[in-house]
Amino acid sequence: MMTYRIVIFLLVIFSIQKIFGKQCLNDQWPPKSDRIVPTHVVNLDLPPVERWKEIATIYKPAIIDLVDYIKQFALSISPELQFLVSLVDTKLPAMADTLPAPYGDELKGISHTTGIPLGEIVLYNIFYEIFTLCTSIVAEDQNGNILHGRNLDFGLLLGWDMLNNTWTLSEKLRPLITQINFTQHGQVLFKTTSFAGYIGVITGVRPGIFSISMNERYGFKGGYIGLIEWIFNINRNQSFVTFAMRDMLTTSESYNQAVEYLTKIKLTAPCYYILAGPKSKQGVIITRSRYEADDIKQLGNDNLWFLIETNYDNWKKPPVFDDRITPCIECMKTKGKNQVTFESLFNVFSSRPMLNKLTVYTALMEPATGRLESYYQYCRDEDAPCAPW
């Protein structure tokens, strides 16, 4: 019976690859105005409990809708995550007090503003440690200027809408997408593309210094192990992967300092950190296990002018059921080093299978200037057959 199921699974996978194919588009730029993600401000000079008040007020209905859906479905998909459901009301509220400053107080402020129980706000903020798919690119043009872009794909296996052929969680996340300018002393310290009420960082840029994106890394003893260790005080000598990014954006004064910090810090979950700097050759993929870096891949290796990371170790062959990296490499080579622009990168990210049913946004960054542009993404079957992931 097991052999029969494996054969069926492989046939389905090969059918998916054949049906959906690949693209390298040239006509997706500029995005229409309704695709532009709105920008809000978080003032770091305010007390932590007050920093998210405006954003939490604006997005309160969408946050409530998403948290309700997470409770009802997402956390019931595996025994490990089901275990967390019972902790939402009993353990997670107290977890806010165990987080390093200022994160606990920021979560309490969001809870107070929205009326959502603190345990559910904590759940919303740790959920991304486990369920993020992505494609990230760092590329250098012929003049040595570096750009950094990413697709955020989210919601795999978290509820398929048979009527609309969409992932339910992906659709509920899209209304929460926002660019956030974190200011200090009246100046923009760093910028992020995130979700309203989510205080960690998945995509960000510190103007003139570096940009960063984080991709999930699959493997044994993933993020849920670190969460359990933290909740039960088994091991709190580690950082949440997205809080580590925000800490680094707040404190690191150089590209090299940021790389060193994210190479050495102990984490609750394995991941890939992709960084770019303002100078030639400043690009890196840091493949992280929870306690150390397993690999560091520098821009310029193998005479390539770009780096690409999806969700698999880049020195290994990608799985047949999720090979986004091969068509992405081919598309980048087709466009060439003289087309490292926001327009070109957006066309790559809008091409299938880099664009798929899980994709909720594309973010484009220029470390040297701090330019950040974010756009809602939709993969529609009427344009061309769209892969589920």
Side-chain angles (χ1 to χ4, degrees):
M1 178 63 70
M2 183 62 67
T3 301
Y4 172 76
R5 289 178 178 175
I6 293 174
V7 170
I8 294 297
F9 173 76
L10 291 176
L11 287 174
V12 169
I13 292 303
F14 285 124
S15 296
I16 287 174
Q17 297 293 314
K18 184 176 181 180
I19 291 171
F20 296 108
K22 57 187 178 182
Q23 300 172 317
C24 188
L25 301 176
N26 296 304
D27 60 352
Q28 300 301 296
W29 185 270
K32 295 181 180 179
S33 59
D34 61 359
R35 300 275 296 279
I36 299 173
V37 171
T39 299
H40 298 280
V41 173
V42 168
N43 183 356
L44 296 176
D45 294 321
L46 291 174
V49 293
E50 297 179 15
R51 292 173 181 173
W52 296 87
K53 184 175 181 179
E54 180 179 349
I55 294 174
T57 300
I58 294 171
Y59 291 92
K60 175 180 176 179
I63 297 173
I64 292 173
D65 185 46
L66 179 66
V67 170
D68 285 345
Y69 182 76
I70 291 173
K71 286 194 304 178
Q72 293 167 10
F73 178 80
L75 297 182
S76 65
I77 68 170
S78 74
E80 291 86 358
L81 295 178
Q82 182 62 53
F83 172 72
L84 292 178
V85 173
S86 63
L87 303 179
V88 172
D89 295 320
T90 58
K91 292 289 186 180
L92 293 192
M95 183 176 168
D97 289 322
T98 71
L99 298 175
Y103 302 126
D105 284 343
E106 289 187 1
L107 294 176
K108 291 176 183 178
I110 295 170
S111 173
H112 177 75
T113 299
T114 60
I116 299 173
L118 179 57
E120 296 178 11
I121 292 297
V122 172
L123 173 66
Y124 173 44
N125 275 268
I126 64 176
F127 190 63
Y128 298 88
E129 301 278 321
I130 306 172
F131 281 110
T132 307
L133 298 175
C134 312
T135 300
S136 292
I137 301 173
V138 173
E140 180 176 337
D141 69 13
Q142 69 271 26
N143 298 316
N145 189 48
I146 294 181
L147 298 184
H148 184 176
R150 68 97 47 79
N151 270 1
L152 184 77
D153 303 342
F154 199 96
L156 181 64
L157 304 180
L158 299 182
W160 181 256
D161 185 335
M162 298 292 291
L163 180 62
N164 298 303
N165 289 331
T166 57
W167 294 102
T168 302
L169 189 63
S170 302
E171 299 304 304
K172 290 184 179 294
L173 273 172
R174 199 173 282 111
L176 287 163
I177 299 170
T178 177
Q179 280 193 191
I180 300 176
N181 292 344
F182 287 80
T183 63
Q184 192 171 58
H185 309 311
Q187 302 293 321
V188 174
L189 183 63
F190 59 92
K191 305 175 182 179
T192 71
T193 307
S194 190
F195 302 100
Y198 181 71
I199 65 174
V201 175
I202 301 173
T203 307
V205 58
R206 182 157 175 169
I209 301 179
F210 57 83
S211 57
I212 182 167
S213 58
M214 186 275 290
N215 294 14
E216 183 180 359
R217 184 187 185 195
Y218 300 116
F220 180 64
K221 293 187 177 181
Y224 71 89
I225 296 293
L227 288 177
I228 292 171
E229 289 180 353
W230 187 285
I231 291 169
F232 287 98
N233 199 18
I234 298 170
N235 176 15
R236 290 181 180 159
N237 185 29
Q238 51 190 327
S239 176
F240 291 89
V241 295
T242 59
F243 290 171
M245 288 176 63
R246 181 170 158 185
D247 290 342
M248 180 268 302
L249 282 161
T250 304
T251 61
S252 293
E253 299 291 342
S254 71
Y255 166 81
N256 289 333
Q257 185 181 355
V259 171
E260 181 179 11
Y261 178 83
L262 293 179
T263 298
K264 295 180 178 180
I265 189 169
K266 292 181 173 60
L267 301 170
T268 58
C271 67
Y272 302 99
Y273 286 129
I274 303 91
L275 292 97
K279 299 178 182 179
S280 176
K281 302 295 190 296
Q282 287 188 333
V284 67
I285 299 170
I286 305 172
T287 301
R288 282 299 313 260
S289 60
R290 290 178 56 205
Y291 297 134
E292 61 186 358
D294 293 337
D295 184 74
I296 300 175
K297 185 174 183 179
Q298 301 282 351
L299 181 65
N301 286 0
D302 304 319
N303 295 317
L304 280 180
W305 43 274
F306 60 84
L307 293 171
I308 300 175
E309 180 58 57
T310 57
N311 300 100
Y312 310 99
D313 294 345
N314 54 67
W315 60 91
K316 300 177 182 178
K317 186 176 181 179
V320 66
F321 58 84
D322 186 18
D323 184 4
R324 284 165 282 138
I325 194 167
T326 301
C328 192
I329 290 172
E330 293 172 354
C331 194
M332 288 294 292
K333 288 182 176 179
T334 296
K335 295 187 178 300
K337 193 172 184 178
N338 62 340
Q339 290 193 60
V340 179
T341 62
F342 272 28
E343 175 179 352
S344 180
L345 286 180
F346 186 79
N347 280 320
V348 173
F349 286 120
S350 299
S351 302
R352 292 159 174 75
M354 288 71 77
L355 178 71
N356 55 72
K357 288 288 188 178
L358 290 169
T359 309
V360 294
Y361 74 71
T362 293
L364 306 169
M365 298 174 283
E366 186 175 37
T369 63
R371 180 184 175 192
L372 169 63
E373 295 182 13
S374 307
Y375 301 97
Y376 300 108
Q377 281 283 24
Y378 307 85
C379 199
R380 297 187 171 97
D381 293 309
E382 55 265 32
D383 300 327
C386 196
W389 57 82

